[in-house]
Amino acid sequence: MSKKVLVLGEVREGSLRNVSFEAIAAGKKIAAGGEVVGVLLGDNVAAVANELIAYGADRVITVEHPHLKNYTSDGFSQAFLAVQEQENADAIVFGHTSLGKDLSPKIASRLQSGLISDVTEIEGEGDSAIFIRPIYSGKAFEKVKVKDGIVFFTIRPNNIAPLAKDAGRTGNVSSISVDITNLRTI
């Protein structure tokens, strides 16, 4: 069964981090022919949206607001949850980075979803996907299969190869507005 997958792209100093492209590749595997939607949160992120499409995203949604210039878990979670509410995705992929490790448990809790963290490999595709993650300080590996609900996982950087870049690939880039003016800025 094909799925809609949301992939959070990470932007640092105006450029996409490589883990964003790796997360798209993981999302493609889970989507099983479905749609992979890149999500970019920040102050000026639309400029890099087409790069996510070149690496395999079918379309990209941006949420831009001055309060999202610097990462805060409250601001980013509020913005990401607004995108999820609009898209109602079957799966969510984050990088297992400092941002992903901080944000993913908060999002999973709000969605009342499980979370598979630090995935290093995915066997199979779609509903038959099995996620492999290290346990016991990397001395053993655990295989996890999601039986129902949202498939939510983080991937360890430099373990899942990104898809080849196709500069001629096209897709839709849209923006949504989220009211986050009540947030404190740092």
Side-chain angles (χ1 to χ4, degrees):
M1 175 180 184
S2 62
K3 297 179 180 286
K4 182 187 287 188
V5 180
L6 289 182
V7 175
L8 180 64
E10 290 190 32
V11 179
R12 182 180 291 164
E13 298 175 7
S15 298
L16 282 163
R17 295 189 62 199
N18 197 48
V19 71
S20 303
F21 311 132
E22 296 165 5
I24 288 173
K28 282 285 197 190
K29 199 162 192 160
I30 298 308
E35 183 179 35
V36 175
V37 181
V39 178
L40 294 173
L41 312 173
D43 184 28
N44 187 18
V45 293
V48 296
N50 284 319
E51 195 169 358
L52 282 179
I53 292 170
Y55 276 94
D58 298 307
R59 61 187 174 96
V60 176
I61 297 173
T62 63
V63 180
E64 296 185 307
H65 193 282
H67 289 173
L68 297 175
K69 181 177 183 174
N70 296 313
Y71 171 76
T72 63
S73 65
D74 286 341
F76 272 52
S77 65
Q78 192 172 348
F80 190 85
L81 286 167
V83 173
Q84 170 60 4
E85 185 177 309
Q86 175 182 304
E87 294 295 317
N88 196 25
D90 303 303
I92 299 172
V93 185
F94 286 8
H96 194 71
T97 60
S98 57
L99 185 148
K101 287 187 258 188
D102 183 53
L103 188 60
S104 59
K106 187 172 197 169
I107 300 287
S109 174
R110 296 263 172 88
L111 294 174
Q112 297 181 351
S113 168
L115 173 66
I116 306 167
S117 62
D118 201 19
V119 171
T120 57
E121 187 179 342
I122 302 169
E123 291 178 350
E125 294 185 357
D127 291 333
S128 65
I130 297 174
F131 302 91
I132 300 172
R133 59 184 296 271
I135 56 174
Y136 304 120
S137 300
K139 292 178 175 52
F141 289 88
E142 173 181 50
K143 290 185 176 187
V144 180
K145 183 170 175 57
V146 178
K147 294 184 180 183
D148 63 356
I150 295 174
V151 178
F152 193 173
F153 63 100
T154 64
I155 61 160
R156 182 181 284 190
N158 303 317
N159 277 264
I160 296 175
L163 302 174
K165 183 176 182 177
D166 179 0
R169 198 165 188 282
T170 61
N172 183 32
V173 177
S174 61
S175 179
I176 68 167
S177 179
V178 177
D179 180 24
I180 55 174
T181 55
N182 295 331
L183 292 177
R184 294 180 313 177
T185 57
I186 296 175

